[in-house]
Amino acid sequence: MNEELPELRASDADRDRVAEILRDALAEGRLRMEEFDERLEAAYQARTYGELEPLTADLPVGARDVPVLPAAAPRGAVGPAWAERIVGGEGSSSAGIGILGGFQRTGRWTVGRRFTAVAFWGGGEVDLREARFADREVVINCVAIMGGVNIVVPPGVEVDVRGVGIMGGFDHREAGVAGDPGAPRVIVTGLAFWGGVGIERKPTRAEKERLKAERRERRALEKERRRKELG
């Protein structure tokens, strides 16, 4: 693999191709079921080419079948995976307020250029995994006073955390993780006073369903392999 590739972002197609190599290796008896499970999970969690390469390096087709990086997209271009989710216009919701209670923004909704989340002795969840975006860059302004706001972003989205915590805090674990080409950028700002703003990255529901399907397929392949061995 080119030495410049390991830190570059992998696409869903890249992860799928590595998964296909692993399935073939399982069917051929080159991998045990436990190894296959571990490598497949790592493949779908991989963010870069460097994380994908070791998963197939010891397989006969591994080193040469890891996808070749395509030419870099022009600066500012929107990748096909994100183009349909950056829709312009206004957001379907501009605020979520939880006072002595809670709120949720989840599923298919459109986050505007600026969204305000307020939690006062309560909590709120802003889930962007299935969301559309009014712009390439959106701002989520959080006010958490003796309460909490949790923001969920999908893989590939860049997060920039700028909030201030006073006897409280903002989660910075996902800050600085490079985004996919053309993916939205989410700026998280605001104030946490005796409260907190959490940020976590989770796969989309579609990816979870795909992983479940992969597990079912693995079980079927293993069952067929054992049947042939016993036969």
Side-chain angles (χ1 to χ4, degrees):
M1 177 178 288
N2 188 312
E3 293 182 357
E4 296 179 358
L5 295 187
E7 298 305 317
L8 295 177
R9 304 285 295 195
S11 69
D12 286 342
D14 299 329
R15 288 182 278 269
D16 287 340
R17 188 172 177 188
V18 169
E20 186 64 30
I21 295 170
L22 296 175
R23 283 194 294 270
D24 289 343
L26 176 66
E28 294 167 358
R30 299 183 190 277
L31 292 177
R32 296 191 304 273
M33 196 65 183
E34 294 79 7
E35 294 174 311
F36 176 73
D37 285 340
E38 292 174 1
R39 295 193 192 194
L40 187 67
E41 183 175 357
Y44 281 118
Q45 292 179 350
R47 294 177 176 174
T48 66
Y49 280 77
E51 293 172 348
L52 284 176
E53 182 180 20
L55 303 177
T56 58
D58 60 346
L59 300 175
V61 297
R64 62 177 179 271
D65 272 39
V66 171
V68 177
L69 182 71
R75 186 176 180 82
V78 179
W82 291 103
E84 62 183 21
R85 293 182 61 178
I86 300 175
V87 297
E90 300 296 327
S92 59
S93 178
S94 61
I97 300 175
I99 299 176
L100 298 176
F103 74 87
Q104 278 190 324
R105 295 294 181 274
T106 186
R108 291 185 175 272
W109 66 292
T110 301
V111 56
R113 292 174 177 82
R114 189 173 186 87
F115 181 87
T116 300
V118 178
F120 177 71
W121 278 36
E125 181 179 37
V126 182
D127 190 337
L128 303 178
R129 286 177 293 173
E130 306 290 340
R132 293 177 172 80
F133 298 80
D135 203 344
R136 286 279 302 282
E137 183 173 281
V138 300
V139 177
I140 299 179
N141 184 48
C142 301
V143 179
I145 301 175
M146 291 180 286
V149 175
N150 190 50
I151 300 171
V152 184
V153 299
V157 169
E158 180 184 356
V159 180
D160 181 0
V161 182
R162 302 178 184 177
V164 176
I166 301 174
M167 291 183 288
F170 278 72
D171 189 346
H172 283 75
R173 287 176 297 176
E174 294 299 334
V177 177
D180 290 341
R185 182 169 182 255
V186 177
I187 299 173
V188 181
T189 185
L191 172 69
F193 178 70
W194 279 31
V197 176
I199 303 167
E200 57 183 333
R201 196 178 300 271
K202 291 183 178 180
T204 64
R205 291 179 177 83
E207 288 175 308
K208 287 184 177 180
E209 289 301 319
R210 180 171 61 183
L211 286 173
K212 288 181 181 178
E214 293 284 355
R215 293 189 187 101
R216 289 194 294 268
E217 184 178 353
R218 291 199 303 270
R219 295 190 190 102
L221 287 171
E222 178 65 10
K223 184 176 181 180
E224 178 64 16
R225 185 175 68 83
R226 288 176 179 174
R227 187 188 64 79
K228 289 180 178 179
E229 288 176 352
L230 293 173

